[in-house]
Amino acid sequence: MPVVDVDPDELRTLVDTDRSDEELRADLFALGLEFEGTTEEGDFQLEFAPDRLDRLSVEGIARSLRYQYGTDRGVYVPGANDAEWTIAVDGPPAERPYVTGAIVRGLDLDDRALDSLIQLQEKLHATMGRKRAKGAIGIHDLVAIKGDALTEEGDGNSITYTGIDPEGDTFVPLDSDREMTPAEVLEEHPTGETYADIVSEYDRYPAIYDELGLFSFPPVINGRRTEVSTESRELLVELTGTDQWTIDRMCNIICYALSARGATIEEVEVEYGESSPEGERTLVRPDFEVETKSVSHDRIETMLGVDLD
């Protein structure tokens, strides 16, 4: 069962409540969140059922509490501005053909917010992402990315998801100070050694480029050039994986959490070529479409055990 560390003071701020730690723990238990103890820093350690992965972050837990307290009503769907960026899919490894993403603007990241984002990323990797094998998240400082202009007027930007020879182009990975090929990352970088088994048998490795060159080697590691810090105000969120549905839902959970921090979400266009599994198509992401289900009056009465007018 997933366990998430949550700062109770931050939770109170996001919920807008002054309830005590004891009262919060009782309210969380009513939501199905088991209290497992506290960290050395005083954070709550909360365990919950894996069918509610929106609660992998303090932002998601706060949203659930606001509904429980009655301060939120109805279905919340973040707004999304029209796309200014495109992810062009051009010959990625057949074993990992799918990509999705979003642009996030207007962030105000302090240390706690950044720690929460990193924890959410890693918890999603461990659960929905199947330890990054099914889906992996890359989060980048958008200011450090130079997109290719899509039109003569230069009013659009594009990055490319493709495949690369293991001994191909070099980049400086996170937590390193030297240029490395993807093969060198897998052999010599601690993070590369941890996730090498995911891609080591591929003929070509996944890679994401902008106009300046290679900046991400998913699902293994991002480049240092686009590293996110508390100074970052605009982000590129990209996900690659073996299943479009999975990475789209992982992307949504990230976007909902950042929207709760006051960020603005912006769509991206994902352009697949003819060689993609479903052929040539363009997807607009993130996909916040909601489902509607109908339940009969009799069924509701039967489930609740009461008569309703």
Side-chain angles (χ1 to χ4, degrees):
M1 303 279 277
V3 176
V4 175
D5 297 341
V6 172
D7 182 336
D9 290 332
E10 188 174 25
L11 183 60
R12 275 185 278 265
T13 298
L14 290 169
V15 177
D16 191 18
T17 184
D18 58 0
R19 296 176 73 79
S20 68
D21 284 4
E22 183 177 354
E23 290 172 320
L24 277 179
R25 288 196 294 267
D27 295 339
L28 292 166
F29 182 77
L31 284 173
L33 294 159
E34 298 276 356
F35 178 73
E36 296 293 317
T38 58
T39 67
E40 293 181 359
E41 294 77 21
D43 291 351
F44 290 174
Q45 294 182 302
L46 303 173
E47 180 182 85
F48 57 94
D51 61 338
R52 288 302 303 269
L53 297 182
D54 58 309
R55 293 176 178 169
L56 283 172
S57 68
V58 64
E59 298 89 355
I61 295 171
R63 185 183 309 111
S64 290
L65 279 178
R66 291 196 303 271
Y67 279 108
Q68 178 162 307
Y69 295 158
T71 52
D72 281 1
R73 297 284 186 180
V75 178
Y76 171 69
V77 180
N81 292 338
D82 292 342
E84 294 184 9
W85 284 78
T86 296
I87 303 175
V89 185
D90 183 16
E95 300 91 341
R96 200 175 188 89
Y98 298 106
V99 66
T100 193
I103 300 295
V104 180
R105 300 189 189 271
L107 271 176
D108 186 9
L109 287 175
D110 58 17
D111 288 330
R112 292 193 305 180
L114 182 57
D115 288 343
S116 177
L117 178 58
I118 293 171
Q119 177 179 230
L120 176 57
Q121 179 182 15
E122 290 309 313
K123 294 297 184 180
L124 283 171
H125 281 159
T127 52
M128 287 188 79
R130 302 292 190 268
K131 298 181 179 180
R132 304 194 189 188
K134 191 172 185 179
I137 306 159
I139 302 177
H140 309 268
D141 191 325
L142 186 65
V143 173
I145 298 173
K146 184 174 177 57
D148 296 314
L150 297 179
T151 68
E152 292 181 359
E153 293 78 15
D155 58 356
N157 294 288
S158 176
I159 60 175
T160 301
Y161 176 47
T162 186
I164 184 176
D165 291 335
E167 298 290 353
D169 292 336
T170 62
F171 73 117
V172 179
L174 289 173
D175 302 318
S176 178
D177 57 4
R178 69 182 182 89
E179 296 272 347
M180 304 174 77
T181 66
E184 288 173 333
V185 170
L186 300 187
E187 294 171 0
E188 303 173 22
H189 194 288
T191 303
E193 293 173 356
T194 300
Y195 298 104
D197 61 327
I198 300 176
V199 299
S200 58
E201 299 301 317
Y202 293 6
D203 293 331
R204 290 169 61 80
Y205 292 165
I208 300 179
Y209 284 80
D210 67 354
E211 188 174 320
L212 301 178
L214 176 64
F215 70 89
S216 182
F217 173 25
V220 180
I221 196 167
N222 295 340
R224 198 176 73 178
R225 166 162 63 95
T226 62
E227 183 175 4
V228 174
S229 72
T230 54
E231 302 300 315
S232 302
R233 295 294 177 264
E234 299 182 341
L235 305 180
L236 164 69
V237 180
E238 48 83 3
L239 300 90
T240 66
T242 61
D243 176 73
Q244 187 76 52
W245 187 93
T246 298
I247 60 174
D248 282 342
R249 270 58 188 179
M250 292 170 69
C251 182
N252 285 359
I253 292 172
I254 293 280
C255 289
Y256 265 81
L258 294 175
S259 175
R261 296 278 182 183
T264 299
I265 309 301
E266 182 178 296
E267 296 171 340
V268 300
E269 292 187 351
V270 180
E271 294 186 348
Y272 286 101
E274 294 181 356
S275 61
S276 70
E278 283 78 23
E280 187 173 356
R281 57 182 177 144
T282 298
L283 304 179
V284 177
R285 293 295 186 264
D287 178 10
F288 292 142
E289 184 177 354
V290 298
E291 295 181 2
T292 299
K293 296 186 178 182
S294 299
V295 185
S296 71
H297 186 100
D298 290 344
R299 179 64 172 164
I300 293 172
E301 290 185 325
T302 299
M303 291 294 292
L304 296 180
V306 296
D307 293 328
L308 300 171
D309 59 24

mmCIF file of all heavy atoms in Angstrom, residues 133-168:
data_model
loop_
_atom_site.group_PDB
_atom_site.id
_atom_site.type_symbol
_atom_site.label_atom_id
_atom_site.label_comp_id
_atom_site.label_asym_id
_atom_site.label_seq_id
_atom_site.Cartn_x
_atom_site.Cartn_y
_atom_site.Cartn_z
ATOM 1 N N ALA A 133 8.734 1.474 -15.729
ATOM 2 C CA ALA A 133 8.700 0.605 -16.909
ATOM 3 C C ALA A 133 7.477 0.894 -17.777
ATOM 4 O O ALA A 133 7.564 0.886 -19.011
ATOM 5 C CB ALA A 133 8.708 -0.864 -16.485
ATOM 6 N N LYS A 134 6.327 1.167 -17.160
ATOM 7 C CA LYS A 134 5.099 1.420 -17.921
ATOM 8 C C LYS A 134 4.921 2.902 -18.222
ATOM 9 O O LYS A 134 4.366 3.268 -19.259
ATOM 10 C CB LYS A 134 3.898 0.888 -17.136
ATOM 11 C CG LYS A 134 2.605 0.865 -17.937
ATOM 12 C CD LYS A 134 1.502 0.158 -17.163
ATOM 13 C CE LYS A 134 0.239 0.022 -18.021
ATOM 14 N NZ LYS A 134 -0.848 -0.678 -17.289
ATOM 15 N N GLY A 135 5.369 3.761 -17.309
ATOM 16 C CA GLY A 135 5.249 5.202 -17.512
ATOM 17 C C GLY A 135 6.259 5.940 -16.663
ATOM 18 O O GLY A 135 6.511 5.568 -15.522
ATOM 19 N N ALA A 136 6.873 6.969 -17.231
ATOM 20 C CA ALA A 136 7.868 7.762 -16.513
ATOM 21 C C ALA A 136 7.638 9.238 -16.772
ATOM 22 O O ALA A 136 7.271 9.642 -17.875
ATOM 23 C CB ALA A 136 9.284 7.355 -16.912
ATOM 24 N N ILE A 137 7.875 10.047 -15.738
ATOM 25 C CA ILE A 137 7.601 11.481 -15.766
ATOM 26 C C ILE A 137 8.910 12.254 -15.803
ATOM 27 O O ILE A 137 9.814 11.987 -15.008
ATOM 28 C CB ILE A 137 6.818 11.908 -14.509
ATOM 29 C CG1 ILE A 137 5.553 11.061 -14.336
ATOM 30 C CG2 ILE A 137 6.469 13.394 -14.555
ATOM 31 C CD1 ILE A 137 5.011 11.068 -12.919
ATOM 32 N N GLY A 138 8.989 13.219 -16.712
ATOM 33 C CA GLY A 138 10.080 14.175 -16.712
ATOM 34 C C GLY A 138 9.515 15.567 -16.498
ATOM 35 O O GLY A 138 8.553 15.964 -17.159
ATOM 36 N N ILE A 139 10.084 16.314 -15.548
ATOM 37 C CA ILE A 139 9.627 17.675 -15.263
ATOM 38 C C ILE A 139 10.810 18.609 -15.477
ATOM 39 O O ILE A 139 11.885 18.408 -14.905
ATOM 40 C CB ILE A 139 9.082 17.789 -13.835
ATOM 41 C CG1 ILE A 139 7.927 16.795 -13.632
ATOM 42 C CG2 ILE A 139 8.598 19.206 -13.551
ATOM 43 C CD1 ILE A 139 7.368 16.774 -12.225
ATOM 44 N N HIS A 140 10.619 19.632 -16.319
ATOM 45 C CA HIS A 140 11.712 20.483 -16.778
ATOM 46 C C HIS A 140 11.374 21.953 -16.601
ATOM 47 O O HIS A 140 10.205 22.349 -16.712
ATOM 48 C CB HIS A 140 11.995 20.224 -18.271
ATOM 49 C CG HIS A 140 12.165 18.788 -18.616
ATOM 50 N ND1 HIS A 140 13.385 18.151 -18.624
ATOM 51 C CD2 HIS A 140 11.251 17.840 -18.988
ATOM 52 C CE1 HIS A 140 13.230 16.883 -18.980
ATOM 53 N NE2 HIS A 140 11.935 16.671 -19.200
ATOM 54 N N ASP A 141 12.396 22.754 -16.377
ATOM 55 C CA ASP A 141 12.248 24.206 -16.372
ATOM 56 C C ASP A 141 12.092 24.662 -17.822
ATOM 57 O O ASP A 141 13.011 24.547 -18.625
ATOM 58 C CB ASP A 141 13.474 24.857 -15.731
ATOM 59 C CG ASP A 141 13.268 26.340 -15.454
ATOM 60 O OD1 ASP A 141 12.579 27.004 -16.264
ATOM 61 O OD2 ASP A 141 13.797 26.844 -14.459
ATOM 62 N N LEU A 142 10.914 25.187 -18.142
ATOM 63 C CA LEU A 142 10.600 25.541 -19.530
ATOM 64 C C LEU A 142 11.515 26.638 -20.057
ATOM 65 O O LEU A 142 11.810 26.672 -21.261
ATOM 66 C CB LEU A 142 9.140 25.978 -19.635
ATOM 67 C CG LEU A 142 8.605 26.257 -21.033
ATOM 68 C CD1 LEU A 142 8.577 24.983 -21.878
ATOM 69 C CD2 LEU A 142 7.198 26.874 -20.969
ATOM 70 N N VAL A 143 11.980 27.518 -19.188
ATOM 71 C CA VAL A 143 12.831 28.622 -19.618
ATOM 72 C C VAL A 143 14.123 28.105 -20.260
ATOM 73 O O VAL A 143 14.698 28.748 -21.139
ATOM 74 C CB VAL A 143 13.147 29.540 -18.420
ATOM 75 C CG1 VAL A 143 14.172 30.604 -18.795
ATOM 76 C CG2 VAL A 143 11.871 30.208 -17.923
ATOM 77 N N ALA A 144 14.580 26.910 -19.845
ATOM 78 C CA ALA A 144 15.834 26.357 -20.352
ATOM 79 C C ALA A 144 15.667 25.606 -21.668
ATOM 80 O O ALA A 144 16.651 25.127 -22.235
ATOM 81 C CB ALA A 144 16.453 25.431 -19.308
ATOM 82 N N ILE A 145 14.423 25.513 -22.168
ATOM 83 C CA ILE A 145 14.155 24.751 -23.391
ATOM 84 C C ILE A 145 13.934 25.716 -24.547
ATOM 85 O O ILE A 145 13.159 26.671 -24.435
ATOM 86 C CB ILE A 145 12.920 23.849 -23.210
ATOM 87 C CG1 ILE A 145 13.179 22.838 -22.090
ATOM 88 C CG2 ILE A 145 12.571 23.130 -24.504
ATOM 89 C CD1 ILE A 145 11.969 22.014 -21.725
ATOM 90 N N LYS A 146 14.610 25.458 -25.648
ATOM 91 C CA LYS A 146 14.463 26.288 -26.848
ATOM 92 C C LYS A 146 13.760 25.460 -27.904
ATOM 93 O O LYS A 146 14.316 24.510 -28.452
ATOM 94 C CB LYS A 146 15.831 26.759 -27.361
ATOM 95 C CG LYS A 146 15.755 27.707 -28.553
ATOM 96 C CD LYS A 146 17.120 28.239 -28.918
ATOM 97 C CE LYS A 146 17.079 29.125 -30.151
ATOM 98 N NZ LYS A 146 16.157 30.267 -30.003
ATOM 99 N N GLY A 147 12.515 25.825 -28.191
ATOM 100 C CA GLY A 147 11.737 25.079 -29.162
ATOM 101 C C GLY A 147 12.027 25.511 -30.582
ATOM 102 O O GLY A 147 12.445 26.642 -30.839
ATOM 103 N N ASP A 148 11.816 24.596 -31.510
ATOM 104 C CA ASP A 148 11.907 24.932 -32.923
ATOM 105 C C ASP A 148 10.656 25.705 -33.322
ATOM 106 O O ASP A 148 9.540 25.282 -33.019
ATOM 107 C CB ASP A 148 11.997 23.668 -33.786
ATOM 108 C CG ASP A 148 13.254 22.875 -33.508
ATOM 109 O OD1 ASP A 148 14.328 23.484 -33.437
ATOM 110 O OD2 ASP A 148 13.138 21.649 -33.338
ATOM 111 N N ALA A 149 10.805 26.832 -34.012
ATOM 112 C CA ALA A 149 9.645 27.587 -34.487
ATOM 113 C C ALA A 149 8.880 26.757 -35.504
ATOM 114 O O ALA A 149 9.458 26.172 -36.412
ATOM 115 C CB ALA A 149 10.083 28.903 -35.107
ATOM 116 N N LEU A 150 7.573 26.689 -35.349
ATOM 117 C CA LEU A 150 6.748 25.879 -36.246
ATOM 118 C C LEU A 150 6.295 26.648 -37.472
ATOM 119 O O LEU A 150 5.895 26.053 -38.460
ATOM 120 C CB LEU A 150 5.515 25.370 -35.485
ATOM 121 C CG LEU A 150 5.785 24.431 -34.301
ATOM 122 C CD1 LEU A 150 4.475 24.043 -33.649
ATOM 123 C CD2 LEU A 150 6.513 23.187 -34.776
ATOM 124 N N THR A 151 6.312 27.967 -37.403
ATOM 125 C CA THR A 151 5.851 28.761 -38.529
ATOM 126 C C THR A 151 6.866 29.847 -38.828
ATOM 127 O O THR A 151 7.754 30.152 -38.031
ATOM 128 C CB THR A 151 4.487 29.417 -38.217
ATOM 129 O OG1 THR A 151 4.683 30.403 -37.200
ATOM 130 C CG2 THR A 151 3.483 28.396 -37.733
ATOM 131 N N GLU A 152 6.714 30.468 -39.977
ATOM 132 C CA GLU A 152 7.624 31.554 -40.344
ATOM 133 C C GLU A 152 7.498 32.723 -39.369
ATOM 134 O O GLU A 152 8.446 33.463 -39.145
ATOM 135 C CB GLU A 152 7.313 32.025 -41.780
ATOM 136 C CG GLU A 152 7.645 30.983 -42.841
ATOM 137 C CD GLU A 152 7.345 31.495 -44.234
ATOM 138 O OE1 GLU A 152 6.873 32.646 -44.349
ATOM 139 O OE2 GLU A 152 7.586 30.751 -45.208
ATOM 140 N N GLU A 153 6.314 32.871 -38.784
ATOM 141 C CA GLU A 153 6.122 33.954 -37.825
ATOM 142 C C GLU A 153 6.733 33.628 -36.470
ATOM 143 O O GLU A 153 6.845 34.479 -35.599
ATOM 144 C CB GLU A 153 4.624 34.252 -37.642
ATOM 145 C CG GLU A 153 3.950 34.840 -38.874
ATOM 146 C CD GLU A 153 3.655 33.780 -39.924
ATOM 147 O OE1 GLU A 153 3.703 32.580 -39.586
ATOM 148 O OE2 GLU A 153 3.389 34.152 -41.086
ATOM 149 N N GLY A 154 7.115 32.332 -36.283
ATOM 150 C CA GLY A 154 7.732 31.931 -35.028
ATOM 151 C C GLY A 154 6.775 31.918 -33.852
ATOM 152 O O GLY A 154 7.177 32.158 -32.718
ATOM 153 N N ASP A 155 5.486 31.635 -34.114
ATOM 154 C CA ASP A 155 4.505 31.701 -33.035
ATOM 155 C C ASP A 155 4.202 30.327 -32.442
ATOM 156 O O ASP A 155 3.170 30.110 -31.831
ATOM 157 C CB ASP A 155 3.207 32.353 -33.525
ATOM 158 C CG ASP A 155 2.594 31.602 -34.715
ATOM 159 O OD1 ASP A 155 3.229 30.640 -35.193
ATOM 160 O OD2 ASP A 155 1.502 31.986 -35.146
ATOM 161 N N GLY A 156 5.089 29.372 -32.627
ATOM 162 C CA GLY A 156 4.907 28.054 -32.037
ATOM 163 C C GLY A 156 6.246 27.424 -31.731
ATOM 164 O O GLY A 156 7.281 27.826 -32.261
ATOM 165 N N ASN A 157 6.243 26.427 -30.858
ATOM 166 C CA ASN A 157 7.470 25.754 -30.456
ATOM 167 C C ASN A 157 7.261 24.262 -30.440
ATOM 168 O O ASN A 157 6.162 23.771 -30.179
ATOM 169 C CB ASN A 157 7.904 26.233 -29.073
ATOM 170 C CG ASN A 157 8.306 27.690 -29.060
ATOM 171 O OD1 ASN A 157 9.346 28.053 -29.569
ATOM 172 N ND2 ASN A 157 7.447 28.531 -28.489
ATOM 173 N N SER A 158 8.359 23.534 -30.711
ATOM 174 C CA SER A 158 8.264 22.093 -30.811
ATOM 175 C C SER A 158 9.477 21.431 -30.191
ATOM 176 O O SER A 158 10.602 21.924 -30.309
ATOM 177 C CB SER A 158 8.148 21.679 -32.286
ATOM 178 O OG SER A 158 8.147 20.275 -32.421
ATOM 179 N N ILE A 159 9.234 20.313 -29.501
ATOM 180 C CA ILE A 159 10.296 19.409 -29.091
ATOM 181 C C ILE A 159 10.016 18.063 -29.744
ATOM 182 O O ILE A 159 8.910 17.835 -30.249
ATOM 183 C CB ILE A 159 10.378 19.263 -27.566
ATOM 184 C CG1 ILE A 159 9.051 18.720 -27.004
ATOM 185 C CG2 ILE A 159 10.752 20.599 -26.924
ATOM 186 C CD1 ILE A 159 9.095 18.431 -25.517
ATOM 187 N N THR A 160 11.004 17.178 -29.751
ATOM 188 C CA THR A 160 10.872 15.924 -30.480
ATOM 189 C C THR A 160 11.173 14.737 -29.581
ATOM 190 O O THR A 160 12.203 14.705 -28.895
ATOM 191 C CB THR A 160 11.836 15.883 -31.682
ATOM 192 O OG1 THR A 160 11.548 16.984 -32.552
ATOM 193 C CG2 THR A 160 11.680 14.586 -32.464
ATOM 194 N N TYR A 161 10.245 13.775 -29.586
ATOM 195 C CA TYR A 161 10.467 12.496 -28.916
ATOM 196 C C TYR A 161 10.891 11.488 -29.975
ATOM 197 O O TYR A 161 10.166 11.244 -30.934
ATOM 198 C CB TYR A 161 9.202 12.026 -28.210
ATOM 199 C CG TYR A 161 9.325 10.657 -27.570
ATOM 200 C CD1 TYR A 161 10.434 10.331 -26.784
ATOM 201 C CD2 TYR A 161 8.344 9.690 -27.743
ATOM 202 C CE1 TYR A 161 10.550 9.081 -26.201
ATOM 203 C CE2 TYR A 161 8.440 8.439 -27.146
ATOM 204 C CZ TYR A 161 9.550 8.132 -26.378
ATOM 205 O OH TYR A 161 9.675 6.894 -25.800
ATOM 206 N N THR A 162 12.086 10.916 -29.819
ATOM 207 C CA THR A 162 12.650 10.073 -30.854
ATOM 208 C C THR A 162 13.479 8.956 -30.234
ATOM 209 O O THR A 162 13.439 8.715 -29.022
ATOM 210 C CB THR A 162 13.519 10.931 -31.810
ATOM 211 O OG1 THR A 162 13.956 10.141 -32.906
ATOM 212 C CG2 THR A 162 14.710 11.532 -31.096
ATOM 213 N N GLY A 163 14.223 8.238 -31.074
ATOM 214 C CA GLY A 163 15.148 7.217 -30.610
ATOM 215 C C GLY A 163 16.574 7.637 -30.905
ATOM 216 O O GLY A 163 16.832 8.418 -31.826
ATOM 217 N N ILE A 164 17.519 7.117 -30.127
ATOM 218 C CA ILE A 164 18.918 7.509 -30.251
ATOM 219 C C ILE A 164 19.800 6.275 -30.101
ATOM 220 O O ILE A 164 19.477 5.352 -29.350
ATOM 221 C CB ILE A 164 19.278 8.572 -29.185
ATOM 222 C CG1 ILE A 164 20.709 9.065 -29.354
ATOM 223 C CG2 ILE A 164 19.033 8.045 -27.785
ATOM 224 C CD1 ILE A 164 21.085 10.181 -28.396
ATOM 225 N N ASP A 165 20.893 6.244 -30.838
ATOM 226 C CA ASP A 165 21.860 5.165 -30.665
ATOM 227 C C ASP A 165 22.444 5.221 -29.258
ATOM 228 O O ASP A 165 22.686 6.319 -28.731
ATOM 229 C CB ASP A 165 22.987 5.292 -31.689
ATOM 230 C CG ASP A 165 22.514 5.010 -33.105
ATOM 231 O OD1 ASP A 165 21.515 4.280 -33.254
ATOM 232 O OD2 ASP A 165 23.138 5.526 -34.056
ATOM 233 N N PRO A 166 22.678 4.085 -28.627
ATOM 234 C CA PRO A 166 23.230 4.101 -27.267
ATOM 235 C C PRO A 166 24.505 4.924 -27.136
ATOM 236 O O PRO A 166 24.723 5.567 -26.107
ATOM 237 C CB PRO A 166 23.490 2.621 -26.984
ATOM 238 C CG PRO A 166 22.475 1.906 -27.827
ATOM 239 C CD PRO A 166 22.347 2.713 -29.077
ATOM 240 N N GLU A 167 25.328 4.927 -28.179
ATOM 241 C CA GLU A 167 26.569 5.709 -28.145
ATOM 242 C C GLU A 167 26.419 7.001 -28.945
ATOM 243 O O GLU A 167 27.394 7.546 -29.447
ATOM 244 C CB GLU A 167 27.730 4.875 -28.711
ATOM 245 C CG GLU A 167 28.041 3.617 -27.926
ATOM 246 C CD GLU A 167 28.659 3.914 -26.570
ATOM 247 O OE1 GLU A 167 28.975 5.079 -26.288
ATOM 248 O OE2 GLU A 167 28.845 2.957 -25.792
ATOM 249 N N GLY A 168 25.196 7.496 -29.030
ATOM 250 C CA GLY A 168 24.905 8.675 -29.850
ATOM 251 C C GLY A 168 25.235 9.976 -29.155
ATOM 252 O O GLY A 168 26.263 10.110 -28.472
#
